[in-house]
Every structure is written in structure tokens, then in C-alpha cells.
Amino acid sequence: MEFGYSLGYWRQGPPPQALETIQAAERLGFDSVWTAEAYGSDAFTPLAWWGAGTSTIRLATGIAQLSARTPAATAMAAMTLDHLSGGRVILGIGASGPQVVEGWYGQPYPRPLARTREYVAILRSIMAREEPVSAPGPQLPLPRTGEGTTGLGKPLRSTLHPARPHLPIHLAAEGPRNTALAAEIADGWLPFLLSPALDAEARANLAEGFARRDPALPPADAFEVSLPVPVVVDDDVERAADQVRPMIALYVGGMGAKGQNFHLDAVARLGYEAECDRIQELYLAGDRAGAIAAVPTRLVEEIGLVGPMAKLRDDLQRWESTVVTRMLVQGDVAALEAVAELRS
């Protein structure tokens, strides 16, 4: 299992000493650094800024949101950064949810799996640069024609040649159907809030997609699964878990609407349905402190590595035999150093 470093996105400003931490990750042997976006900081700019201060670590979006950019704009950003970094980009993308897609980007949210399939097909076509790009739609037609257009659009080929023959595309997914889609059309899967307890289910979902995989893509045994895992080293497990509870409460309680929250559904599949309902109830009522307190320690321990080093070593072993090929550490320099020590 490889290890990467996940910075995510930020609110008040860039994480303190972010570049120094990324450089430390590179020195410690972490193979990749991952950024994200929601409705604030974007995913590509930090990779370009911080990536200029590195030389070997791979630069990955985890994730760039589909509705934030057209497929052409995403391909342009990824291909440009791939050139500037010497071929180090991993393009992680995801559909997000209707609250963000419709509320922030002002885009429709019909049939997200079908839209994702169209989006990835256009990305592949642009990056291959074999012919002018056209796409039948119906959600993402190229060129766009019909009412409201000039009728002058025509298929175009990227003026930028790719830095390498195949730029890897990883797909974020939490549900069974989009996990299978990742195995079918992508080079990797980006799960979230996953536990080793769901490994058999994850393997079955991936196998369903691999059965439909295009033989022109890299083989299934080259497929990568990169999972963000919060890491907190502390002799007091409860105190360590307290640092992770706010993140879980946010995603389970506040990221999505009641009745349509993919993160809540993912945690509920771990056997925490009642706890999820309570967290969401408190969060949506404005009681964020109560929602945070309602996150069980055992849930934190299922999806994270928290506690003293001896416990972390034992807990890390649970992941070694799972479908996960890369653990993305969420934490500070101390967390990176601890994981590096556990690997040695």
C-alpha cells in the first residue's frame, strides 16, 4: 500500500506551512499530494503553486468537481499542469451533490452517473488528441447546436499536445453504482468514509465494473484505490477522536439535504444509521456542538487512525489486506511522520 498526503480545501486561508509539509511528505516517501474543492478554494491552483516547490511527488485533485468546469476546461487545466510538473498529475473528479451543483454552480443535476460517463469520455477524447472532439450528449453535447446557438461551433482538436500518452483519471464514488462506474471507465476509485468492514462489498462493486471495462484502458490489476484517512497521534483515544468528530459531523449532518446526503448514506452502510439520523437532526437544527458530540468514537476508529502509536500500528494492519492501494493521510506533520515510522 502506498501513502499520499491529503490537504483537502480550506476556509480561512491556506494551511500554515503547507508547502513545508508537502516537502516533508515528499522527503518521507509519500507518493502524492491531494487537494480538493467544494464552494471556496479550488483544487488546481494550490497544486500548481505548491507543486513548483517539489520534484517527485504526484499532484492530484481529490476531487475537482464536474460542474465547476466543462470537460474541456478540466482537460486544459490537467494537461497544462501535467506539462509544468513533468507528468505528475492524477486527475481526480467527482459529481458532488445537488446542493452544490445547483446552488453554487447553477448547473442542473439530472442523472449524475450518465453525466459522469459523458464527461470522462470527453476528457479521454481531448487528452488523446487523435481527432477533433465531438460528443453526442445528451447532457454534454459537443459542439453545442440548436436553440440559442449561432450554429458556427465545430469540433476542435486541442492545440496542446499531451505530456504523456495516458493521464490517469480517478473517480470519486460512495454508492455501489458509481463505484462500479469507476471500475468501468476510470483508472482509480476515490472512496470516502470507508471502513475495512466494507471491503467485501467494495470488491463486489468494483468487480461489477471491471466486467464491463474497455480493454483499451489499463488493466484492472493496475487500478488504484486511494482513500483519505484522518490520522491523529495521541495517547488519549477520546482526545484524538475529538479532532475528527467535527469533520464527520459536517459531512453526515451538513453536506447534503435531509433524504439526499451521499456521505450520510455511506456511513449508515457501516451500521450507524440511527447515529447518522441523530447527527443530521442536530446539525440541521443548528446544534453543531451537539452533532459533533453525537459522533461515536467507534465510528471515528473505523474510518480513521486515532490514538497512541501502538494502536495505530494495529489499526493500520486492518487496511493492508483491503482493496485500498493508497492511504491518503489527513493530518499535520506529526501524522505524516508517524505513518512514515509505522511503514518502516
Side-chain angles (χ1 to χ4, degrees):
M1 188 166 61
E2 298 289 343
F3 289 84
Y5 174 43
S6 175
L7 278 88
Y9 50 82
W10 67 77
R11 297 183 181 183
Q12 303 300 324
Q17 308 258 291
L19 176 57
E20 291 80 1
T21 306
I22 294 168
Q23 291 171 332
E26 188 173 57
R27 287 194 304 271
L28 290 167
F30 287 72
D31 80 333
S32 51
V33 57
W34 299 69
T35 58
E37 62 190 12
Y39 39 96
S41 60
D42 83 291
F44 286 102
T45 309
L47 286 179
W49 183 262
W50 295 325
T54 65
S55 58
T56 60
I57 199 165
R58 299 171 76 184
L59 309 176
T61 57
I63 61 169
Q65 296 174 313
L66 269 62
S67 294
R69 304 164 192 83
T70 63
T74 297
M76 290 166 66
M79 292 169 69
T80 301
L81 184 57
D82 206 43
H83 270 282
L84 294 173
S85 65
R88 290 191 277 151
V89 168
I90 299 172
L91 177 58
I93 58 174
S96 190
Q99 280 193 323
V100 172
V101 172
E102 296 174 354
W104 183 248
Y105 296 117
Q107 299 292 322
Y109 195 75
R111 303 188 65 202
L113 268 68
R115 187 179 186 88
T116 300
R117 185 184 294 276
E118 290 184 35
Y119 200 104
V120 171
I122 295 171
L123 288 176
R124 298 278 194 207
S125 182
I126 291 172
M127 293 172 178
R129 204 183 174 273
E130 294 175 349
E131 59 186 2
V133 178
S134 61
Q139 295 196 49
L140 299 166
L142 279 179
R144 183 167 290 280
T145 59
E147 185 178 355
T149 69
T150 64
L152 300 177
K154 64 177 184 179
L156 298 171
R157 189 198 315 257
S158 171
T159 60
L160 177 64
H161 291 248
R164 49 185 165 151
H166 186 83
L167 193 156
I169 299 172
H170 292 201
L171 188 59
E174 292 181 84
R177 292 175 60 207
N178 47 357
T179 299
L181 181 65
E184 179 185 351
I185 68 174
D187 301 287
W189 171 38
L190 302 175
F192 186 50
L193 301 173
L194 187 68
S195 162
L198 291 183
D199 187 61
E201 178 183 319
R203 290 181 184 276
N205 294 333
L206 292 173
E208 180 182 333
F210 288 144
R212 299 190 296 266
R213 189 172 179 82
D214 185 344
L217 292 174
D221 60 9
F223 192 83
E224 297 184 325
V225 179
S226 303
L227 174 69
V229 175
V231 177
V232 182
V233 183
D234 195 308
D235 288 339
D236 187 318
V237 173
E238 289 295 327
R239 189 166 56 207
D242 286 344
Q243 295 189 45
V244 181
R245 288 186 230 272
M247 180 272 290
I248 297 176
L250 170 64
Y251 280 95
V252 171
M255 285 286 197
K258 191 170 181 62
Q260 191 164 16
N261 181 330
F262 307 125
H263 309 302
L264 183 150
D265 295 340
V267 175
R269 282 194 291 273
L270 294 173
Y272 295 92
E273 186 172 355
E275 290 87 346
C276 285
D277 289 343
R278 181 58 177 161
I279 293 166
Q280 185 181 63
E281 178 187 1
L282 292 166
Y283 203 100
L284 295 180
D287 185 2
R288 297 189 180 185
I292 291 169
V295 176
T297 299
R298 67 182 185 281
L299 168 57
V300 176
E301 292 177 299
E302 280 212 52
I303 66 169
L305 296 174
V306 295
M309 284 292 286
K311 179 178 182 297
L312 265 59
R313 181 173 287 106
D314 291 341
D315 290 349
L316 182 60
Q317 290 300 315
R318 297 180 304 145
W319 292 101
E320 293 291 349
S321 60
T322 69
V323 72
V324 175
T325 63
R326 178 185 293 112
M327 180 176 288
L328 308 180
V329 174
Q330 296 175 313
D332 56 15
V333 172
L336 295 175
E337 292 173 342
V339 170
E341 181 181 335
L342 293 173
R343 294 173 63 197
S344 61

